[in-house]
Amino acid sequence: MSQRAAKLIFWVGTLSSLALFLGMTWDTHRSFAALTHADRLDANVVAGKRAFEKYNCNDCHTILGFGAYYAPDLTRAYKRLGEDAIRLRIASPEKVLAGSYRKMPQQHVKPEEIDRLVDFLRWVSDIDNHDWPPQDSATRWKAATRRLIGGAAMSPGAALVAQENCLSCHALGDAGEHRGPRFEYIATRRDAAWITRYLADPEAMTPGAVMPAFGTLSESQRRSVAEFITSLADRSTP
Amino acid sequence: MNFKTQRVAYPYFVVALLLFALQLVMGLYIAFNYFYTVPQEVVNVFPFSTARAMHTNLLVLWLLLGFMGATYYTVPEETQSELAWPRVAYAQLILLTGTGVAALVGFFFGWTQGRPLLEIPTTLDVLVVIGALMFLANVAVTIFRARRFTAVQGTLLAGLVFLAAMYLFGMPFYENLAIDWYYWWWVIHLWVEGAWELVTAALMAFMMIQLTGVERKVVEKWLYVELGLFLFTGLAGTGHHYYWIAAPRYWLWVGGIFSALEPLPIAFMLIDTWRSMRHSSRPQPRLTWVYVIGMAVLHFVGAGLFGFAHTLPQINYYTHGSQVTVSHGHLAFFGAYVLLNLSFFYFAIPRLKGFPEGRYDERGGHWGFWLLSSGVVGMSLAMAVAGVLQTYLERVQGQPYIVAQSPIRFWMMIVFLHGFLVLGGALVVIKHLLTLRPAPAPGR
């Protein structure tokens, strides 16, 4: 190979890749507004991002898969855990994670900062990023739920979930709210015995829990609800 | 050493080596956190996040100080002239080291910009920029005064300007998280797979010319081809970080294809280095080649193969942001940039000390290399096992993060144990380098 050919490889290789990269950068900027729902990116969300950086959250957690890998990914934390569970973890990690083998620091985050962090995580959870991460994929959550719907109408647990209005706080499939954790997530995390006890007295199991006690339900009714929830654990697509 | 001002390189090497040791101590603490439950009271005061910010910033700081020292050694030799402002070079070292120490102390008290690897607060960023400008001006003025332009120093200067320019993209506050990460990668990716590769290629070419006596024209010709391949694959290859950040879908194609080609230039560098060694007409201490070849091999394995393993979007969907990334990151940084710096130190220090023909007493140095390298390789393999486990349990099966982490703790303990090999090896290397002696007279 001649010196000339070598220089040609250098310039053609570098400039073609650079042109492609800059061109796509320009086009990507045109797409960000729609893909991130920039219309919902208000001052509260920005304040939340500042708090997120102030407390160095990203050096333990990942978000969009980036950061440190020491704690759960936060991209869909709002959809997975819900607002109240997020608040509780930030405000009193020492209580929520008392039994956990991994701790989160108590950073004395101010109440208004917690509100903004929730705003930020709510906005992030709606970002359209080709359904990543897989463990929080809405498509996968809902696939299992849809499969269950036929049988669920017959299940006493499902009837109790409707009767007690659980979905005014929790999410299930396409329905429900994001105050508490999504049912499908609870199913992967807890067993029926644990949920049965939790329903009777949430405060006893998680100090500071916001959820009301369902002591009015009988032990067997609470077990039916628990069994309905744990039946959502299987997320394999049929 | 042919020029008096090359001597400014030495204090850069010393500071870099000391920070390297500190980085490894932090690394051990991080690995410890992964398998042992540190009590809440300790976590409140010194959380994982602070230790991690220190670990990564120390890495960047010492590698960059090493590069700067290496540049100050190289430029006089290449221009055949003294450095323009040796005193500015010392002042710059004091400024940057001081800024680094202030940043580390600041992290402990929660003074941070809170973005991984770019935690240094804006105030200190300004000092870093001033230090970088002092450095670039010094190098550029030396080159332009001498009016002797070579491909090696052209590449070196271009790489350093590129490096400094990309740092600026990491400084502002971005309101939109997706745009934030978009430009975060202009710093991180375009550094390690762009600017730093230019610096590496230039320093390697310089060492090869000096060590082997291979004709400059031949080395420079392959340098052009190598750089063309690096930048062709590396620039558009940035796309492999844009798969899941809310960027358009075409990044999956572009990122996948270009980054699949990224091992090629590294393989090319490996072959090139091997060939140069075989054609060498000048005998060198064995340890010099152990380092240079060790670097070329682990650069290829860590950055090339481990990177390729999870760069395709179909795989990356499941491995993204897991311990697989951690494994790749450690072996790639070690193979490419830690060993480059150490290779250069072994090349430059005996010459700075004026040992005849750059020959030195190798005893002890071999132990250091093998302890350090086997430690990092073992550690990266354990992280890779942890990563595959996490990928399967959390990403494929859908177990909650903390449940899936439980079996991983064992493998992170294996990482921790390898950490002692790494730290032990590094201490041997550092001691050997800082107390280097001339080669014993033959027949002794």
Side-chain angles (χ1 to χ4, degrees):
Chain A
M1 189 189 290
S2 67
Q3 196 87 4
R4 224 180 108 87
K7 280 187 184 171
L8 193 70
I9 290 180
F10 170 74
W11 286 111
V12 171
T14 305
L15 294 178
S16 61
S17 193
L18 182 66
L20 180 67
F21 184 61
L22 292 179
M24 290 197 304
T25 296
W26 177 72
D27 185 73
T28 301
H29 270 278
R30 299 194 308 169
S31 314
F32 271 135
L35 290 167
T36 62
H37 307 288
D39 51 320
R40 281 180 242 159
L41 206 173
D42 58 19
N44 285 343
V45 174
V46 173
K49 186 169 184 285
R50 286 194 188 276
F52 183 75
E53 291 175 3
K54 175 180 169 189
Y55 293 103
N56 210 14
C57 308
N58 217 172
D59 262 329
C60 283
H61 292 276
T62 45
I63 193 158
L64 296 175
F66 306 124
Y69 315 96
Y70 189 65
D73 187 79
L74 296 178
T75 312
R76 304 274 186 256
Y78 183 82
K79 296 281 170 72
R80 175 177 72 226
L81 285 174
E83 197 172 325
D84 290 338
I86 291 173
R87 287 176 191 283
L88 200 56
R89 274 162 178 71
I90 303 171
S92 33
E94 72 286 356
K95 286 184 192 155
V96 180
L97 301 175
S100 175
Y101 60 80
R102 205 166 280 179
K103 307 293 183 194
M104 173 164 157
Q106 168 54 270
Q107 299 201 79
H108 307 286
V109 182
K110 296 185 200 97
E112 64 271 22
E113 286 176 326
I114 297 182
D115 290 341
R116 299 295 83 82
L117 281 165
V118 169
D119 292 331
F120 172 63
L121 291 175
R122 182 192 296 118
W123 173 79
V124 172
S125 74
D126 279 327
I127 281 180
D128 179 5
N129 64 340
H130 314 315
D131 204 22
W132 193 91
Q135 69 271 24
D136 293 329
S137 156
T139 325
R140 283 175 76 193
W141 292 127
K142 289 168 190 171
T145 312
R146 285 206 193 92
R147 190 155 38 81
L148 264 160
I149 277 176
M154 310 293 289
S155 127
L160 283 163
V161 164
Q163 177 194 308
E164 299 298 325
N165 216 6
C166 301
L167 300 192
S168 62
C169 288
H170 294 275
L172 170 65
D174 286 320
E177 298 295 327
H178 294 290
R179 295 205 68 82
R182 170 175 276 283
F183 273 176
E184 293 93 333
Y185 174 70
I186 301 174
T188 59
R189 186 87 180 82
R190 305 294 183 190
D191 60 21
W194 189 93
I195 300 171
T196 309
R197 275 188 292 143
Y198 192 87
L199 283 165
D201 188 3
E203 175 73 29
M205 312 276 289
T206 310
V210 187
M211 180 167 133
F214 286 81
T216 48
L217 296 179
S218 74
E219 163 93 28
S220 70
Q221 282 176 315
R222 280 185 273 120
R223 177 152 275 282
S224 305
V225 173
E227 279 166 359
F228 168 69
I229 293 173
T230 51
S231 72
L232 301 163
D234 179 14
R235 289 201 278 144
S236 56
T237 35
Chain B
M1 186 177 70
N2 299 318
F3 296 91
K4 227 172 47 242
T5 47
Q6 282 179 299
R7 204 170 289 145
V8 301
Y10 190 68
Y12 277 84
F13 298 161
V14 174
V15 175
L17 285 170
L18 297 178
L19 295 176
F20 178 35
L22 195 56
Q23 183 216 344
L24 298 181
V25 172
M26 283 299 151
L28 268 180
Y29 183 70
I30 288 175
F32 180 70
N33 271 257
Y34 262 100
F35 70 90
Y36 183 84
T37 304
V38 178
Q40 184 77 44
E41 295 73 28
V42 178
V43 171
N44 288 346
V45 180
F46 189 59
F48 177 93
S49 48
T50 304
R52 200 229 186 206
M54 290 176 172
H55 178 65
T56 51
N57 280 269
L58 278 162
L59 168 78
V60 175
L61 182 62
W62 89 257
L63 289 180
L64 288 179
L65 289 177
F67 285 161
M68 287 170 170
T71 304
Y72 282 141
Y73 181 90
T74 304
V75 167
E77 200 93 48
E78 282 288 298
T79 54
Q80 293 294 311
S81 71
E82 294 289 350
L83 202 62
W85 307 313
R87 284 216 193 115
V88 173
Y90 289 117
Q92 175 211 335
L93 176 64
I94 294 167
L95 173 71
L96 289 177
T97 310
T99 309
V101 171
L104 293 174
V105 175
F107 292 157
F108 186 78
F109 293 101
W111 191 33
T112 172
Q113 211 186 326
R115 295 160 67 226
L117 277 74
L118 306 178
E119 290 94 341
I120 297 183
T122 315
T123 323
L124 296 180
D125 274 340
V126 173
L127 296 178
V128 173
V129 170
I130 294 171
L133 288 175
M134 287 161 80
F135 172 66
L136 291 177
N138 210 344
V139 173
V141 168
T142 309
I143 292 176
F144 285 99
R145 264 191 201 166
R147 300 195 175 282
R148 187 171 179 274
F149 302 101
T150 65
V152 170
Q153 60 185 353
T155 306
L156 190 55
L157 186 60
L160 295 168
V161 170
F162 185 16
L163 192 163
M166 289 305 113
Y167 188 77
L168 302 177
F169 286 94
M171 288 172 57
F173 174 81
Y174 296 91
E175 295 193 343
N176 188 319
L177 185 72
I179 297 175
D180 191 343
W181 287 113
Y182 194 89
Y183 289 106
W184 190 85
W185 285 111
W186 280 40
V187 189
I188 307 304
H189 175 96
L190 292 178
W191 267 9
V192 298
E193 277 147 271
W196 291 24
E197 293 280 12
L198 294 191
V199 174
T200 302
L203 293 177
M204 280 293 287
F206 173 70
M207 277 197 283
M208 285 300 133
I209 292 167
Q210 303 280 327
L211 284 172
T212 64
V214 173
E215 214 185 327
R216 178 180 282 273
K217 263 171 113 174
V218 177
V219 173
E220 289 190 345
K221 184 174 75 185
W222 294 119
L223 180 64
Y224 279 119
V225 178
E226 208 169 273
L227 294 178
L229 288 175
F230 265 125
L231 292 172
F232 179 71
T233 59
L235 291 173
T238 316
H240 63 221
H241 301 292
Y242 296 160
Y243 296 159
W244 324 117
I245 67 159
R249 194 166 272 277
Y250 52 69
W251 283 110
L252 272 63
W253 283 95
V254 174
I257 291 167
F258 279 83
S259 60
L261 297 173
E262 277 188 67
L264 286 180
I266 313 178
F268 189 88
M269 191 186 238
L270 173 59
I271 296 165
D272 195 26
T273 310
W274 183 259
R275 220 178 27 198
S276 301
M277 183 184 75
R278 297 298 298 270
H279 288 120
S280 172
S281 54
R282 298 177 188 166
Q284 294 298 336
R286 204 178 139 69
L287 188 58
T288 303
W289 288 118
V290 167
Y291 266 95
V292 171
I293 297 297
M295 168 196 139
V297 170
L298 288 180
H299 188 169
F300 179 67
V301 175
L305 297 184
F306 274 44
F308 179 75
H310 63 134
T311 199
L312 296 177
Q314 295 87 338
I315 294 169
N316 192 263
Y317 183 69
Y318 294 100
T319 57
H320 177 53
S322 72
Q323 294 293 329
V324 171
T325 316
V326 179
S327 165
H328 159 62
H330 280 80
L331 197 55
F333 262 104
F334 178 76
Y337 302 120
V338 173
L339 286 180
L340 170 73
N341 265 306
L342 296 180
S343 301
F344 200 93
F345 297 171
Y346 269 108
F347 163 76
I349 291 177
R351 287 168 173 78
L352 284 168
K353 292 197 170 177
F355 297 169
E357 289 160 38
R359 300 185 71 84
Y360 52 90
D361 185 355
E362 297 178 44
R363 281 172 302 180
H366 286 274
W367 272 101
F369 173 86
W370 289 106
L371 280 174
L372 180 59
S373 298
S374 54
V376 176
V377 170
M379 190 173 87
S380 302
L381 289 176
M383 285 163 171
V385 175
V388 172
L389 264 174
Q390 184 183 5
T391 299
Y392 182 69
L393 297 176
E394 187 190 9
R395 295 357 183 11
V396 178
Q397 281 203 332
Q399 290 187 12
Y401 174 89
I402 203 72
V403 177
Q405 281 285 306
S406 192
I408 286 163
R409 297 168 79 197
F410 170 79
W411 292 99
M412 295 310 286
M413 186 181 75
I414 304 291
V415 169
F416 175 72
L417 295 177
H418 279 90
F420 286 103
L421 282 183
V422 178
L423 182 61
L427 292 177
V428 172
V429 172
I430 293 167
K431 178 171 180 291
H432 188 239
L433 273 170
L434 295 183
T435 58
L436 216 54
R437 285 186 302 264
R444 226 182 72 187

